Amino acid sequence: MNLFLRLLIILLFASQSSVGQKLKKADKVMITNLQAHISYLSDDKLEGRRAGTNGEKLASEYISNEFKKAGLEPKGEQGWLQPFEIYDGKQINPSTLLFINDRELKLNDEYFPFVFCPEASLTAAVSPAVKEQGVPWFNDLKDLIEENKDNPHFDLATAIKTIAGKAAEKGATALFVYNSSGIADNLQFDAKDNSRPLSIPVVYLTPKAGKQYLADESATLDIRLKTVISDKKRTGNNVIGMINNGAPTTIIFGAHYDHLGYGEDGNSMLRSGEKQIHNGADDNASGTAALIELARLLKLSKNKNNNYLFIAFSGEELGLFGSKYFTEHPTVSLQTVNYMVNMDMVGRLNDSNKTITIGGYGTSPSWPGVFTALSKQKYFTPKYDSSGVGPSDHTSFYLKNIPVLFFFTGLHSDYHKPTDDPNKINYTGELFIIKYIESLVAQTNTKGKLAFQKTREPATTTSARFNVTLGIMPDYTFSGSGVRVDGVSDGRPAQKAGIQTGDIIIQLGTYDTNNLESYMQALSKFHKGDKTTVKYKRGEELKEGSVEF
């Protein structure tokens, strides 16, 4: 379950004990199956199922095999699989190089190009003390760092961009910066910075290189430089299987199967700094296991008025990558989709209150009647949330005007930690959730295609860290500069400022929003009642709107 979005939900604690109900033989078989699925998916050998890794590959092979055993037919783009690219930030291309006086400097040990470097090549003979047109310039950051050492609002990387811009205006062909102050500058290549490339390359020389080449500023240096910054990508895979009943409509069932790996993407709640496997038994081996068992049940079902599509999504923990990719590249027509059911963290039903949250209750006018008809079951108490926007993959379908449901048994103290293990799963509770969803399918079997209804959309970027929200759903898969808008909430500041889906926000007030992180940092500067402006691009057109939080 996506960490950034999950911060919106109040922490609940769930127990692992079982629901006190008499079990049939078939129920016991399903519990055994659930235990087997979750145990495999959360085994250490899968190394946390991080999207785009070998652990994800092992999980996808397991799911494909279980889909096959359940009698499903492949419905991906490559058999069971639907591959998609995951933008993983920027990287320094191996063709990047720097020679000074015919000696090649070592990347990172002696220099590195900043992420906002353009692709460029140059040769020059220059003295560090000389600042003339047509040659590289050198700039010691010493005074700047010392003047701002106690300034909490000072950002050195932003200051370097400003220096580089002014140098370029005066004819510099490159900028080399270094720090002779003795105060640590903590500069490094920031792979997550999506800033637009500057007009000239900007290169940091480490103190080691500075001592060797810059001790005499009047000396002439023969320089050969090449900078190439490229996108870093990896490939994730959705796993898709179908029960084709020859029906005009299709119900989609989904659960993400990826998790955090070792926490490399910065989404772990473990604060010790240790590198540990995050097995994700509840998040979301539990939902994936439910998906497999639901497929097995519905293959035998007599309810044939819908086709059934089962999707195990990857990339959810990075920001709904897999589900967004599917809705942009569907393997069945979205026009024929009846509704979508998402299962994310369904393994910790609490035996004390037996409460399960069901999101998306307001996304179709049919849902109240359906759930009223299901209210006689005594296994758990549903808690309804009307919104179609939430912290998991159903959001991608809601944004395509498809009715959705989101089943979730609550957060717990093991969320996004290495302690989310199989022995803490309430397997009997999960069994009853699966049977409940089966009953839901039966209840809608003769209702035809359900009508879609737009719902209230919560402030998806508001948490304890923010006092305000702009009221947008960001596109987490966007790899360009800025924050692309995937959805706009009615009546919120973004809508009032004229922002529409597809626009790219590039500045909030005086703060550049080059990526999602800088956008969140900008939001944190404002309070309720503040007024500012927002700049955004619509195609090639630059627009500006007024904002009042």
Side-chain angles (χ1 to χ4, degrees):
M1 184 162 288
N2 180 264
L3 173 59
F4 170 65
L5 292 172
R6 181 53 59 210
L7 293 173
L8 311 176
I9 297 182
I10 299 173
L11 189 63
L12 299 173
F13 292 88
S15 72
Q16 58 171 317
S17 54
S18 61
V19 179
Q21 299 290 333
K22 188 175 181 180
L23 299 178
K24 300 177 182 178
K25 182 178 179 180
D27 296 337
K28 294 178 180 178
V29 170
M30 184 182 291
I31 288 176
T32 300
N33 290 344
L34 290 172
Q35 290 171 335
H37 301 325
I38 293 174
S39 293
Y40 179 83
L41 292 170
S42 55
D43 191 276
D44 279 357
K45 71 179 181 181
L46 272 66
E47 297 184 288
R49 308 187 309 276
R50 181 175 180 247
T53 66
N54 186 60
E56 185 225 54
K57 180 175 181 290
L58 291 173
S60 69
E61 290 171 349
Y62 180 87
I63 297 164
S64 300
N65 189 50
E66 291 300 319
F67 279 178
K68 183 178 180 179
K69 287 195 294 186
L72 275 58
E73 61 183 62
K75 201 61 178 177
E77 293 171 350
Q78 298 178 11
W80 299 101
L81 303 182
Q82 182 184 46
F84 58 91
E85 282 190 341
I86 298 170
Y87 174 70
D88 206 17
K90 301 289 185 181
Q91 63 182 353
I92 301 171
N93 194 284
S95 61
T96 294
L97 56 84
L98 173 60
F99 282 84
I100 298 181
N101 296 341
D102 293 326
R103 177 182 171 273
E104 185 172 9
L105 276 67
K106 295 179 180 178
L107 183 65
N108 295 320
D109 181 52
E110 295 179 293
Y111 83 101
F112 67 81
F114 285 92
V115 69
F116 40 80
C117 276
E119 183 171 341
S121 297
L122 65 86
T123 57
V126 62
S127 169
V130 175
K131 289 180 169 60
E132 296 178 340
Q133 289 188 354
V135 297
W137 286 17
F138 290 77
N139 190 291
D140 189 351
L141 302 173
K142 178 178 182 292
D143 293 342
L144 190 64
I145 291 171
E146 291 179 345
E147 289 169 6
N148 291 278
K149 64 180 181 180
D150 297 320
N151 180 359
H153 303 293
F154 176 69
D155 183 75
L156 183 55
T158 300
I160 290 171
K161 290 181 191 178
T162 301
I163 294 168
K166 292 179 180 178
E169 289 175 2
K170 295 179 181 179
T173 58
L175 178 67
F176 291 90
V177 296
Y178 59 98
N179 173 19
S180 67
S181 70
I183 301 174
D185 52 49
N186 299 316
L187 290 169
Q188 60 183 354
F189 182 83
D190 183 2
K192 300 302 182 184
D193 185 348
N194 283 347
S195 298
R196 289 176 289 276
L198 302 182
S199 59
I200 61 172
V202 186
V203 176
Y204 179 79
L205 297 175
T206 68
K208 179 179 179 179
K211 289 177 182 178
Q212 183 167 353
Y213 298 106
L214 304 175
D216 181 3
E217 288 194 345
S218 63
T220 298
L221 303 178
D222 291 318
I223 292 174
R224 181 155 63 96
L225 172 69
K226 182 177 182 180
T227 56
V228 182
I229 308 299
S230 57
D231 288 346
K232 184 180 180 182
K233 296 179 179 178
R234 60 187 197 262
T235 300
N237 282 282
N238 294 328
V239 186
I240 310 175
M242 188 173 188
I243 298 172
N244 188 349
N245 293 321
T249 54
T250 298
I251 300 170
I252 295 178
F253 303 93
H256 78 88
Y257 72 99
D258 66 305
H259 197 51
L260 310 189
Y262 290 90
E264 301 96 320
D265 296 307
N267 43 12
S268 172
M269 295 295 286
L270 184 67
R271 300 296 183 236
S272 67
E274 297 177 72
K275 184 180 179 181
Q276 295 186 38
I277 296 173
H278 293 62
N279 286 317
D282 188 29
D283 187 10
N284 186 36
S286 69
T288 307
L291 185 73
I292 294 168
E293 288 306 295
L294 192 60
R296 192 172 61 82
L297 286 181
L298 292 180
K299 180 63 178 177
L300 303 174
S301 173
K302 295 180 181 179
N303 297 308
K304 305 291 187 182
N305 291 342
N306 291 280
N307 308 311
Y308 304 123
L309 191 72
F310 300 85
I311 312 177
F313 299 108
S314 189
E316 190 270 358
E317 298 288 10
L318 301 172
L320 316 188
F321 272 66
S323 56
K324 179 176 174 59
Y325 186 85
F326 177 84
T327 57
E328 297 294 340
H329 307 85
T331 60
V332 299
S333 171
L334 294 187
Q335 300 302 315
T336 67
V337 174
N338 193 343
Y339 58 87
M340 187 270 181
V341 177
N342 182 33
M343 297 164 286
D344 193 349
M345 296 177 65
V346 292
R348 294 282 195 102
L349 188 67
N350 188 311
D351 277 346
S352 297
N353 56 36
K354 300 181 183 179
T355 299
I356 182 169
T357 298
I358 302 176
Y361 184 81
T363 61
S364 173
S366 298
W367 289 140
V370 169
F371 284 108
T372 297
L374 293 172
S375 64
K376 294 180 180 179
Q377 64 80 31
K378 300 177 182 178
Y379 308 133
F380 47 75
T381 303
K383 178 183 177 184
Y384 301 111
D385 179 0
S386 66
S387 179
V389 171
S392 191
D393 291 305
H394 59 286
T395 299
S396 299
F397 293 84
Y398 170 78
L399 293 174
K400 294 295 184 181
N401 296 335
I402 294 171
V404 297
L405 293 174
F406 169 38
F407 287 80
F408 168 58
T409 55
L411 287 177
H412 43 76
S413 59
D414 298 307
Y415 170 68
H416 275 207
K417 293 179 181 178
T419 51
D420 182 7
D421 289 323
N423 63 316
K424 299 175 181 178
I425 297 297
N426 182 343
Y427 292 98
T428 306
E430 181 164 345
L431 160 76
F432 287 122
I433 292 170
I434 295 167
K435 294 179 71 172
Y436 184 79
I437 295 173
E438 182 189 26
S439 298
L440 171 85
V441 172
Q443 198 57 229
T444 60
N445 186 57
T446 58
K447 293 187 178 297
K449 193 170 186 290
L450 304 191
F452 172 76
Q453 180 172 275
K454 195 170 183 180
T455 71
R456 64 172 182 82
E457 296 173 25
T460 56
T461 55
T462 300
S463 73
R465 185 174 167 187
F466 308 111
N467 297 305
V468 298
T469 176
L470 201 56
I472 66 160
M473 178 70 186
D475 178 357
Y476 295 91
T477 68
F478 181 58
S479 60
S481 182
V483 175
R484 187 162 65 188
V485 179
D486 225 7
V488 182
S489 298
D490 291 339
R492 301 275 183 163
Q495 186 189 57
K496 294 177 181 178
I499 293 174
Q500 300 175 8
T501 298
D503 290 345
I504 300 172
I505 298 172
I506 59 173
Q507 190 172 348
L508 188 58
T510 59
Y511 304 100
D512 290 337
T513 55
N514 298 313
N515 54 23
L516 190 58
E517 181 62 28
S518 60
Y519 169 73
M520 293 191 295
Q521 290 174 355
L523 269 183
S524 69
K525 307 294 184 182
F526 295 96
H527 297 83
K528 189 173 181 180
D530 287 352
K531 296 180 180 180
T532 189
T533 57
V534 58
K535 291 182 180 179
Y536 55 97
K537 292 181 69 175
R538 182 171 298 159
E540 295 301 315
E541 183 182 4
L542 181 63
K543 303 176 78 69
E544 182 174 317
S546 298
V547 170
E548 181 174 355
F549 292 108

